[in-house]
Amino acid sequence: MAYTYEYPRPAVTADCVVITKEAEAKVLLIERGGEPFKGCWALPGGFMNMDETTEQCAFRELEEETGLKIGEVHQIGAYSRVDRDPRGRTITVAYLAVVDAPIAVIGQDDAAKAGSVVPIVSIA
């Protein structure tokens, strides 16, 4: 018999921030192929499976959405704003990966496109 929790539980996702070591660093983004936010640029990531850690989820989602396999990531934060995802209560754990230069990737799975872009830095 399965245990029933008295309190609702949030979904957990993992995102991967992949940046280059270049003087003008680039970040890897995917164009979302489905709702919500279809057509918008986002970090590669997605929902964690019940049999994996958030780190394993970050590796899997990065490969599923871009074809990119990397060897190492570092956890850089957890994001839990209540209304951050219109699909429901979602907590995201973000990971950082650093690569020497842009690597050829292709949008796969639920990513329509994937590619490296120069981040826009604004100092206000």
Side-chain angles (χ1 to χ4, degrees), residues 13-19 27-32 40-47 54-68 70 73 76 84 92-97 105-117:
T13 62
D15 291 331
C16 207
V17 180
V18 180
I19 61 171
V27 64
L28 175 63
L29 297 175
I30 57 106
E31 182 181 337
R32 292 183 56 88
C40 294
W41 291 97
L43 297 169
F47 289 94
T54 55
E55 183 175 315
Q56 291 168 330
C57 177
F59 283 121
R60 177 182 53 78
E61 286 288 342
L62 180 62
E63 184 177 354
E64 284 178 4
E65 293 184 347
T66 70
L68 182 59
I70 55 173
V73 293
I76 56 173
R84 62 177 300 278
T92 295
V93 179
Y95 289 87
L96 174 66
V105 293
I106 186 166
Q108 303 177 124
D109 192 32
D110 55 353
K113 296 179 187 173
S116 295
V117 297

